[in-house]
Amino acid sequence: MRIAALTGLRGVAAVAVLLYHIPHNPAFAAFDIPLFSRAYLAVDLFFILSGFVISLGYHDRVMGRPGWAGYTDFLVNRMARVWPLHLIVTLVFSARLLLNISGNPGIDLNAPNIISNLLMVQSWGWGTEPIAGNSWSVSTEVAAYLLYPLIAFIAFSRWAWIQGILAVALLALVAGSGRGVSGPLDVIDSDTVLTLLRCLAGFSLGVLAYRVADRRWCRALIDRPGGFAAVCALIGVALWLPGKVDLLVVCLMPALVLNCYYDGPAARAAMSNPASFHLGLISYSIYLWHPLVRDVVARVMTMAHGRGITGMDGLFVVAMLVATWLLCWASYALVELRGHRLVKWLQRRAQRRLDVREAAI
């Protein structure tokens, strides 16, 4: 089940992360956009969206019929969604390191790093590093998928309020750790479990938001004229507050997700339009590929500067954005969709073989 506004919200978040990362390459330092200086929090929005959307699509199937078969089918579906692209991106980024194409020499292609990245467990706190930098968050989401039955069970029990308090407490712990890169919650280190806790806390808030989404009191509070604009305004004010109160911003995000779920006129206009929806479809590719495109274009621009070609940096940025869009569109069609179909075909084939064996016994 796909709700256009939620898809569009994911697209907007992915573009925000892209714009946040552009000036992280020194060649593009002049293109720092203050509006996106805290767009690292869009990753927390991804976590909340994942918890909500996964519950929307799988809660009844996983929790309505508890058992190994339903759980396995859920995990296969999730891995079919995230693993094919993660594999291709990891292989390309590994080649980038080996060939030194704007590579990061700080990442060692040793056995622990390679194996943990292929298994998507590289950012679970045991010191292995993500070969494709942004894949740290995908790795932590895999842990959330594995724990989904437990998270959902608590979220739909009488202990849900404790889960909510714990999720906020975990986010406060992460924010107060002092390990944030660009802000308190921007903890992405591979040698700490705090990165994993950041994901699990946001994911839990998304599952809890789904639990209350169809409650009468929640609709009355959120689904009202001006509700979407009010939530966006509150998040905007929180982003500009001194002291980088990241925790407040993240605590407001479930309300934004609920507004998009209710699909009111304002949310529909902002998030369901063709541009936002298209960006939402290719958002996973945007998230994983854009650092590579940025760094390759930065290297080309630096070479151009060395040959006396200057004053065209803005055109290089535009070219980078267009190249990212084209690559990610192709990646979505050729890797994400086909990879998903391939994994599901392999699952069906394995199931048929199992059925034949059982029938022969």
Side-chain angles (χ1 to χ4, degrees):
M1 180 179 182
R2 173 176 282 146
I3 295 177
L6 291 174
T7 301
L9 180 60
R10 186 178 293 275
V12 170
V15 171
V17 173
L18 182 156
L19 296 175
Y20 163 73
H21 279 150
I22 287 177
H24 286 195
N25 187 303
F28 293 128
F31 293 90
D32 182 35
I33 306 175
L35 178 63
F36 297 99
S37 62
R38 295 172 67 190
Y40 56 85
L41 293 175
V43 178
D44 298 279
L45 179 57
F46 286 143
F47 295 149
I48 294 170
L49 266 169
S50 290
F52 189 93
V53 172
I54 286 172
S55 294
L56 179 64
Y58 293 100
H59 177 265
D60 291 344
R61 279 191 275 174
V62 175
M63 305 306 294
R65 292 177 294 171
W68 181 250
Y71 180 56
T72 302
D73 186 63
F74 162 71
L75 290 179
V76 169
N77 274 287
R78 293 317 303 159
M79 295 311 293
R81 173 70 180 91
V82 300
W83 189 75
L85 179 59
H86 176 271
L87 174 64
I88 297 300
V89 171
T90 297
L91 293 175
V92 171
F93 272 67
S94 297
R96 168 195 185 189
L97 292 170
L98 291 171
L99 299 174
N100 193 28
I101 304 175
S102 302
N104 180 358
I107 298 177
D108 186 8
L109 290 179
N110 54 34
N113 279 340
I114 293 173
I115 294 171
S116 62
N117 275 268
L118 292 178
L119 295 176
M120 299 184 72
V121 299
Q122 66 269 27
S123 297
W124 288 13
W126 35 51
T128 52
E129 299 178 277
I131 294 173
N134 284 350
S135 68
W136 69 266
S137 66
V138 185
S139 171
T140 60
E141 279 207 31
V142 170
Y145 302 156
L146 290 169
L147 293 172
Y148 177 71
L150 176 61
I151 294 172
F153 175 78
I154 299 173
F156 283 81
S157 73
R158 68 178 66 181
W159 308 109
W161 62 276
I162 295 180
Q163 186 182 47
I165 292 173
L166 179 60
V168 175
L170 288 177
L171 289 172
L173 175 65
V174 174
S177 68
R179 302 187 65 137
V181 179
S182 299
L185 265 177
D186 191 25
V187 177
I188 59 176
D189 296 336
S190 299
D191 61 347
T192 174
V193 74
L194 292 173
T195 303
L196 180 59
L197 295 180
R198 176 186 177 189
C199 169
L200 294 177
F203 189 89
S204 295
L205 290 178
V207 178
L208 289 167
Y210 175 74
R211 173 183 173 165
V212 301
D214 291 322
R215 298 290 178 89
R216 185 176 301 174
W217 64 265
C218 187
R219 280 191 173 273
L221 180 65
I222 303 293
D223 188 18
R224 57 172 60 203
F228 178 77
V231 171
C232 290
L234 287 173
I235 291 176
V237 170
L239 287 170
W240 286 103
L241 285 176
K244 292 189 175 180
V245 284
D246 289 359
L247 182 59
L248 175 58
V249 176
V250 174
C251 287
L252 289 169
M253 287 177 176
L256 179 62
V257 172
L258 286 167
N259 263 292
C260 291
Y261 171 66
Y262 295 141
D263 203 28
R268 193 159 53 247
M271 301 299 173
S272 299
N273 62 75
S276 296
F277 184 76
H278 172 72
L279 291 172
L281 290 179
I282 65 173
S283 58
Y284 183 37
S285 286
I286 292 174
Y287 183 72
L288 287 184
W289 283 119
H290 78 264
L292 176 63
V293 181
R294 176 203 62 192
D295 292 347
V296 170
V297 173
R299 188 161 186 170
V300 172
M301 187 177 77
T302 301
M303 293 170 61
H305 288 174
R307 288 170 170 74
I309 303 174
T310 59
M312 301 176 62
D313 292 4
L315 291 178
F316 278 102
V317 172
V318 172
M320 177 194 67
L321 295 175
V322 173
T324 300
W325 170 58
L326 292 174
L327 172 62
C328 294
W329 193 359
S331 172
Y332 172 72
L334 300 178
V335 180
E336 291 190 57
L337 292 181
R338 294 190 179 187
H340 185 275
R341 294 187 191 118
L342 176 60
V343 173
K344 294 298 294 179
W345 177 78
L346 292 172
Q347 181 194 22
R348 290 192 297 269
R349 186 177 181 183
Q351 185 61 51
R352 283 196 297 268
R353 287 182 176 180
L354 181 60
D355 291 343
V356 169
R357 288 179 184 178
E358 290 179 348
I361 295 175

